[in-house]
Amino acid sequence: MSESILVTGGTGTLGRHVVDRLHGSDIRVLTRSPRASAPYTAVAGDLATGVGLDEAVAGAGTIVHLASDPRRPRTDVDGTRRLIDAARRAGTRHLVFISIVGVDRHPYAYYQAKYVVERMIEDSGLPYTILRTTQFHDLVLFMAQTLARLPVTPIPSGWSFQPVEAGEVADRMAALALSEPAGRVPDMGGPEILPAREFVGEYLAAAGRRRPLAPVRVPGKVSQAFRRGVHLAPGHADGRRVYRDFLAERVRRGRPAAGYGRSWA
C-alpha cells in the first residue's frame, strides 16, 4: 500500500484550507460520518472513542493533526492520546500538529490542553513537527460579533490580538507536512497587533452597525495573561493579510458575520 497523508479536523476553519493545498497528494480526511459526496477521500474514525482509528491510520506516512474542540479541552488530550497510540502501531513516520502561541505560559484551559498535547507528541517517540500560531481572523471576527450582540458593547481593557489568515497558516502547514519532521518550528503570527477596541470597531463599521463601546477590566488570571500579551508573537509577524481586508471580503461576499467552533473528528 502506498503511503498517504491523513488529516484530522479536515473540515474545520484551518483544515479545509490544508486539505485544499494538499490536493495533489494522496490525502484522506478522518471523519466520524464519511459522505460519498465529499470532495476528498473520507475515512471513518472517531478520536473521541478510538473506533476505527487503527484502520484510518493504516498506510498513513504522515498525519496532520488539526482536530480540536475549544469547548471541551480534555477531548483534545484524550483524542490525541488515542491517535498517537494508533500512529505508533501503524509506524507513522511524521505527525504534524497545530498549536497556539503562548500555550506554555497561558492559564486558559484550552491553551493548557494544547500544551499537554504538545508534550505528549514530543514524548511519543514519533517524528513530529509542531507549529504554534496566533489566533485566526475568523476567531477575532467571531469574538467581535459576540461582543456586539449587546446594546452596549463591552471591550476587554488591555486585550489585543494578532490575527492571522487561516489560508496562510494552511500554506505553512501543507509545506511542513510535505517536508521532513522538524520538531517545534518558529511561531507564526499575523501582520499586525490590534487592540480589542479596534477590531470590534472595524467589525461594527463593516457590518453597518452602531454600538456604544464600554471598556471593561476583566478580572482573573486568564484576563491578566491576555493583557500581558502571552498569546502574541510580535517577532514573528509573518502573515500578509490584515484584518481589515479580511473583513472587506466577508462584506463583499455578503457574510460579515462569522461562525467559529470545534473542528473535531
Side-chain angles (χ1 to χ4, degrees):
M1 178 186 298
S2 61
E3 289 189 337
S4 62
I5 298 174
L6 177 69
V7 179
T8 74
T11 60
T13 301
L14 174 62
R16 56 193 174 85
H17 293 293
V18 172
V19 169
D20 181 62
R21 283 151 177 77
L22 291 172
H23 63 84
S25 307
D26 180 6
I27 181 170
R28 298 179 292 160
V29 175
L30 183 72
T31 177
R32 286 176 297 185
S33 304
R35 295 175 299 167
S37 60
Y40 48 75
T41 301
V43 293
D46 190 348
L47 290 168
T49 64
V51 173
L53 281 187
D54 283 324
E55 294 79 5
V57 169
T62 297
I63 297 174
V64 182
H65 185 28
L66 310 175
S68 191
D69 189 349
R71 300 171 301 178
R72 295 184 297 171
R74 187 68 206 178
T75 305
D76 284 16
V77 175
D78 293 340
T80 302
R81 182 176 294 111
R82 296 184 183 98
L83 182 67
I84 287 172
D85 289 344
R88 283 199 194 108
R89 290 190 290 269
T92 298
R93 297 185 298 103
H94 191 188
L95 177 57
V96 185
F97 179 62
I98 186 69
S99 190
I100 303 169
V101 169
V103 292
D104 53 329
R105 297 175 291 136
H106 205 296
Y108 181 35
Y110 176 56
Y111 291 3
Q112 288 183 325
K114 283 282 190 182
Y115 186 46
V116 170
V117 169
E118 283 188 8
R119 288 181 291 172
M120 288 169 51
I121 292 171
E122 291 167 352
D123 295 339
S124 69
L126 295 169
Y128 69 89
T129 300
I130 295 173
L131 172 66
R132 290 180 180 179
T133 74
T134 55
Q135 288 68 34
F136 298 155
H137 288 308
D138 306 78
L139 175 59
V140 172
L141 175 54
F142 177 72
M143 292 172 59
Q145 176 194 2
T146 301
L147 292 171
R149 288 174 181 166
L150 299 174
V152 176
T153 300
I155 304 296
S157 296
W159 288 28
S160 296
F161 290 88
Q162 188 181 350
V164 64
E165 174 66 25
E168 293 176 0
V169 175
D171 290 337
R172 179 76 63 86
M173 290 296 291
L176 292 171
L178 297 172
S179 301
E180 293 299 315
R184 169 129 178 256
V185 297
D187 296 345
M188 180 177 182
E192 58 184 353
I193 295 176
L194 295 176
R197 186 180 189 90
E198 187 170 341
F199 71 72
V200 173
E202 288 190 4
Y203 162 69
L204 289 170
R209 302 170 64 184
R210 293 180 179 272
R211 290 285 191 278
L213 307 181
V216 175
R217 188 172 179 84
V218 182
K221 292 182 178 179
V222 169
S223 180
Q224 186 181 56
F226 279 120
R227 287 195 297 271
R228 292 203 317 269
V230 168
H231 58 302
L232 304 177
H236 295 281
D238 305 312
R240 300 178 303 278
R241 194 178 193 204
V242 298
Y243 177 69
R244 183 173 297 161
D245 291 345
F246 167 82
L247 273 179
E249 183 187 358
R250 285 297 181 97
V251 172
R252 285 197 302 270
R253 292 164 57 188
R255 295 198 304 122
Y260 198 89
R262 68 178 183 174
S263 172
W264 195 248

